[in-house]
Amino acid sequence: MDRRTILKGLALLGAGAVIPLKRLSALPAFSKRPYHQFQLGDLEMTVLTDGHINLAPVQAAFPNGSEDAEKALLQQRFRPTDGVDLGMNMLVIKKGSDYILIDTGTGPAFGPSSGWLLASMADAGIRPENITSIIISHGHPDHVGGLLTKDDKPVFPAATIYLSKVEHAFWMAAKQDFSKSRFPDKQLLAVFTAATQKTFRILQPQLQLFEHNAELLGCIRMEIAPGHTPGHSITHIYSGNEKMVHIADLVHSDVLLFPHPEWGFNGDTDIEMAASTRRRVMKTLADEKIKVIGYHLPWPGIGHVRMEEAGFEWVPETYAYPA
């Protein structure tokens, strides 16, 4: 799918993209998409997939690193060097009779390689009307694209939608400051800004805005971790003595950005602030040995962060059998 087709589709669907797309593959012929379930204290946790997005070329997406260094690191980890494939790991938290969804994926705008959330929910036995609360980490279209149908109807009409007050103010302002971003396509920025504004306007009756460190729903604390966007938020989830952190878009590559947080991501609204936030949060996660789930990390995105020389290392959780 070429850029012109993508732009046309995004404009028609009221959604946009924060990243260049290399290729779009068809939905795999799963009888059911995989999902992963586990307990966190009394909370029932389910990780679903919304599909994937491929970034290419690599150095353009991670612009503060050199092409040679990035290629060498990818080769060292036996990864392709012509693109970085981003997973989209959707977390559903069941607390009693309540279902809490963190972010909503791309919706239909990015083509057949993504927008699988509703199908994945059905595979796990979860219906849209079950969702009582939605946490939106930030306003990029691969996170809010699943909130509306193609004809601009709410996908989750029974849900309260939580969004940081700072994030809402940024997107709904008359003009957004992208001067500290390395994203090259200003036309595409304008398209997805308009789409995000449209989404927030339509869903205004369902929106509830929160401040930094807000406690929500008896099991969540929100932390604003700015840089990727001004109100980009990570979600601290707790039950009893157990906790984990949903880091949203703090990291877009397990191979590149854990050892080199400073290499940045071209979708960061303020690339230097995002790098500083990334390093600060990673250090806390490593020091406190907290379990983490990352939105764009390899399936199912669960693991720990460990200090490694001058940077960090991603240590994925492993499983003896599918669950």
Side-chain angles (χ1 to χ4, degrees), residues 57 62 64 101 107 147 189 199 220-221 232 257 273 282 284 295 303:
F62 303 93
N64 286 349
L101 172 64
L147 285 169
L189 283 174
T199 298
I220 283 171
R221 179 177 65 83
H232 173 262
L257 290 186
M273 180 186 289
M282 282 184 183
T284 299
Y295 189 81

Side-chain angles (χ1 to χ4, degrees), residues 68-146:
D68 288 346
E70 291 175 359
K71 183 175 181 179
L73 193 50
L74 289 166
Q75 287 177 327
Q76 181 185 339
R77 298 298 183 91
F78 303 99
R79 299 288 181 88
T81 59
D82 60 342
V84 172
D85 216 14
L86 304 186
M88 285 185 285
N89 304 310
M90 320 300 297
L91 182 63
V92 178
I93 305 163
K94 187 174 185 292
K95 180 178 185 284
S97 60
D98 294 328
Y99 287 80
I100 305 161
L101 172 64
I102 301 182
D103 288 327
T104 65
T106 67
F110 281 33
S113 67
S114 61
W116 305 352
L117 174 62
L118 294 182
S120 293
M121 286 173 54
D123 293 336
I126 304 170
R127 300 187 304 274
E129 57 267 29
N130 294 143
I131 303 297
T132 53
S133 301
I134 299 172
I135 308 293
I136 295 297
S137 66
H138 63 294
H140 282 160
D142 56 325
H143 295 257
V144 303

Side-chain angles (χ1 to χ4, degrees), residues 1-317:
M1 182 179 292
D2 62 26
R3 178 182 175 280
R4 180 176 297 176
T5 303
I6 292 168
L7 275 172
K8 182 179 179 182
L10 297 174
L12 289 172
L13 293 168
V18 294
I19 46 184
L21 305 181
K22 178 193 173 193
R23 54 181 166 79
L24 297 173
S25 59
L27 181 71
F30 297 134
S31 57
K32 288 190 174 183
R33 278 139 294 279
Y35 57 91
H36 174 66
Q37 294 182 308
F38 61 100
Q39 288 286 136
L40 187 78
D42 293 331
L43 303 175
E44 299 175 30
M45 316 287 276
T46 302
V47 185
L48 309 167
T49 179
D50 191 58
H52 66 107
I53 302 173
N54 194 283
L55 301 179
V58 173
Q59 198 277 331
F62 303 93
N64 286 349
S66 73
E67 183 175 359
D68 288 346
E70 291 175 359
K71 183 175 181 179
L73 193 50
L74 289 166
Q75 287 177 327
Q76 181 185 339
R77 298 298 183 91
F78 303 99
R79 299 288 181 88
T81 59
D82 60 342
V84 172
D85 216 14
L86 304 186
M88 285 185 285
N89 304 310
M90 320 300 297
L91 182 63
V92 178
I93 305 163
K94 187 174 185 292
K95 180 178 185 284
S97 60
D98 294 328
Y99 287 80
I100 305 161
L101 172 64
I102 301 182
D103 288 327
T104 65
T106 67
F110 281 33
S113 67
S114 61
W116 305 352
L117 174 62
L118 294 182
S120 293
M121 286 173 54
D123 293 336
I126 304 170
R127 300 187 304 274
E129 57 267 29
N130 294 143
I131 303 297
T132 53
S133 301
I134 299 172
I135 308 293
I136 295 297
S137 66
H138 63 294
H140 282 160
D142 56 325
H143 295 257
V144 303
L147 285 169
L148 297 177
T149 65
K150 288 183 179 181
D151 55 355
D152 293 334
K153 303 297 183 185
V155 173
F156 306 100
T160 299
I161 301 168
Y162 295 91
L163 175 72
S164 87
K165 187 175 182 180
V166 172
E167 187 74 358
H168 183 266
F170 173 76
W171 290 107
M172 300 310 290
K175 185 177 177 61
Q176 291 68 40
D177 181 7
F178 293 114
S179 64
K180 296 178 182 178
S181 172
R182 296 285 295 277
F183 193 81
D185 192 331
K186 304 307 180 188
Q187 182 183 359
L188 201 51
L189 283 174
V191 169
F192 74 68
T193 297
T196 297
Q197 290 176 338
K198 179 181 179 181
T199 298
F200 290 166
R201 286 193 187 100
I202 290 172
L203 295 172
Q204 183 62 42
Q206 293 177 249
L207 284 181
Q208 183 165 321
L209 306 183
F210 63 79
E211 305 274 5
H212 176 63
N213 275 334
E215 299 278 345
L216 304 176
L217 305 168
C219 61
I220 283 171
R221 179 177 65 83
M222 301 305 303
E223 176 187 351
I224 296 178
H228 184 59
T229 62
H232 173 262
S233 301
I234 62 179
T235 305
H236 297 255
I237 308 160
Y238 55 85
S239 177
N241 294 323
E242 296 187 47
K243 59 184 178 180
M244 73 182 303
V245 181
H246 186 298
I247 60 172
D249 276 18
L250 189 76
V251 179
H252 289 79
S253 168
D254 59 319
V255 171
L256 300 178
L257 290 186
F258 280 97
H260 293 283
E262 73 282 1
W263 282 357
F265 176 62
N266 73 356
D268 295 333
T269 302
D270 184 332
I271 195 167
E272 300 305 328
M273 180 186 289
S276 177
T277 295
R278 187 176 298 117
R279 185 174 289 278
R280 173 182 59 78
V281 173
M282 282 184 183
K283 185 177 187 306
T284 299
L285 296 173
D287 288 346
E288 298 185 8
K289 299 179 171 60
I290 302 171
K291 183 182 286 190
V292 168
I293 179 168
Y295 189 81
H296 287 302
L297 295 178
W299 172 263
I302 299 171
H304 288 80
V305 182
R306 181 167 63 193
M307 298 290 293
E308 179 70 18
E309 298 179 350
F312 303 88
E313 181 184 8
W314 173 243
V315 184
E317 194 166 86

